[in-house]
Amino acid sequence: MTPSLRLVQSQRQTLAMTPQLMQAIKLLQMSNLELEAAVREEVDQNPFLTLSPRGDGRVAPKRDVSSSAVPLDPFATVAVRETLADHCRREIVGLRFTTKERAIADFLIGSLAPDGRLPPDTQDDTIVALGVSPADVAGTLAKLQTIEPAGLFARDLAECLALQLQARGDFDPLAERVIENLALVAKRDVRRLADVCQASEAAVIEVLSRLRGLDPRPGLAFDNTPLVAIEPDVIVRRRAEGGFIVALDTQRLPRVLVDSDYHAEVTAMGNQTATSFANQCMRSAHWLTRSLDQRARTIVKVASAIVSRQRAFFEGEAQHVSPLTLREVAQDIGMHESTVSRVVSNKALASPRGVFPFRAFFAVAIDAGDGAVSAEAVRAQIRRIVDTESATNVRSDDEIVQTLKNSGIVIARRTVAKYREAMNIPSSVERRRMARHDGFGSVGSRR
């Protein structure tokens, strides 16, 4: 068949990411402090925008979660150390992420444990919450594991040590075999390690000296960073007749005013160039104000859904939050999961129980016999059981399973072992050995 050129007409639907839409998305995932900086930049560039002083008595978007409200003292700003998540977000600026990869990266950063590792179920949670493939998560994770300090985003201790050796260029086959046998490393059984790794004791000792120079918990290095203030984006107040009222903290929100009179003066001059510029700036100003209003209402919707779903926690009836996913909140408010994911990023909520990041209210569910409980609640129970052990009563994983069953949580032994290892709690054999050698103390809290 002879090749030929043809003109074909077709129709298709695509989502065009206009600059205005991109701006709205960025505003949605900003914290109040970031939002203020972004708005000030827009005001500096747009002659028809001005900032109104805070505390002008305007009414903020709010919702009842259930009727006069009980007045509360203003929530004091809580000073905490700069988070590991903030550091990671700065580090990934130079990495090239697609829109999908950036959403995955934000989710993984928000899931980091204080020691810099990812909890056991994080990859599965990411796949379910964002609707992405395992390959997408694996590719994004590989990029995140390249940031400093080395060892962040590891899924266990072995991977954490391997990442640090790789960053130093010291990760050889013998080091890999030694890291695969960390149980023997903990026992300092050099002879057995040498046999298992098929190497000389001198070579094994050299690898062990390299391991001693590594940091098993690189995320904790940020404990000594300067204090920064966390300002809550949303305030939750208890109502006299039950339930809660959820409102934005307007004292910390910038209020933007559009100067229509000045726009009219400019266009009345009759200068075509000035009029074109003025109209463009006015369109940008109106889009910004609409985006800010939509951001405020969306945040309140998400916060209200969280409070409604976690009512037992806010009422003080539950020690830990209930299982909750981004999809459930998205279904409650009629929005996409990606929108909810952007809202919970960098946002904090002040309540009678304290100040919490939005993401703290999302917990993976596990089947516990009569019903589902959050993985965080199960981990806390395991930690409590181990912390109350005595030198003569160290519980095995089977005994922990039975103790949990007595309290209404029915899970498998392998689940207990998985969570115990994720919290760096030694096995019962190791805890007994530690108790015999250097006094029991708080063996369950050893790392």
Side-chain angles (χ1 to χ4, degrees), residues 208-348:
L208 294 178
S209 68
R210 278 188 265 161
L211 295 183
R212 280 194 292 270
L214 305 179
D215 186 354
R217 298 175 295 277
L220 299 184
F222 296 89
D223 284 349
N224 296 321
T225 52
L227 291 177
V228 295
I230 284 188
E231 296 184 342
D233 301 81
V234 173
I235 292 181
V236 178
R237 291 185 172 91
R238 193 185 301 274
R239 300 194 68 87
E241 299 178 359
F244 297 89
I245 186 169
V246 179
L248 283 178
D249 185 3
T250 58
Q251 296 299 320
R252 294 173 170 79
L253 279 177
R255 186 188 183 195
V256 180
L257 301 179
V258 180
D259 193 343
S260 300
D261 293 337
Y262 184 31
H263 174 262
E265 292 179 11
V266 173
T267 55
M269 295 170 57
N271 185 299
Q272 185 175 357
T273 301
T275 299
S276 176
F277 174 75
N279 289 337
Q280 180 181 353
C281 289
M282 183 57 74
R283 286 193 295 270
S284 177
H286 284 311
W287 182 271
L288 176 63
T289 56
R290 286 195 296 269
S291 297
L292 291 174
D293 181 68
Q294 183 62 36
R295 173 188 182 273
R297 297 182 186 282
T298 303
I299 291 175
V300 171
K301 282 183 180 180
V302 172
S304 299
I306 290 174
V307 173
S308 178
R309 287 275 187 167
Q310 303 289 2
R311 181 185 295 272
F313 175 81
F314 286 102
E315 292 282 5
E317 300 171 358
Q319 183 88 14
H320 303 282
V321 298
S322 303
L324 183 63
T325 64
L326 295 174
R327 177 175 296 177
E328 290 172 329
V329 171
Q331 291 174 345
D332 288 348
I333 63 177
M335 292 184 176
H336 195 271
E337 288 177 51
S338 62
T339 301
V340 177
S341 178
R342 293 186 181 98
V343 171
V344 302
S345 176
N346 302 323
K347 307 295 187 306

Side-chain angles (χ1 to χ4, degrees), residues 363-440:
V364 64
I366 64 173
D367 188 5
D370 294 337
V373 297
S374 69
E376 181 60 34
V378 175
R379 284 193 288 266
Q381 283 276 59
I382 294 173
R383 167 66 64 188
R384 190 176 300 111
I385 291 170
V386 174
D387 284 346
T388 56
E389 290 176 341
S390 64
T392 58
N393 184 27
V394 177
R395 295 179 176 89
S396 66
D397 288 348
D398 286 324
E399 291 171 326
I400 293 176
V401 168
Q402 186 59 45
T403 302
L404 291 173
K405 184 177 180 180
N406 294 339
S407 62
I409 300 176
V410 181
I411 58 176
R413 178 187 176 279
R414 63 178 178 273
T415 305
V416 170
K418 179 176 69 173
Y419 287 151
R420 175 179 56 75
E421 292 168 0
M423 293 185 290
N424 296 321
I425 297 176
S427 66
S428 58
V429 174
E430 279 296 296
R431 300 203 301 276
R432 290 191 186 96
R433 184 185 65 81
M434 293 161 65
R436 289 195 303 268
H437 281 78
D438 54 5
F440 195 82

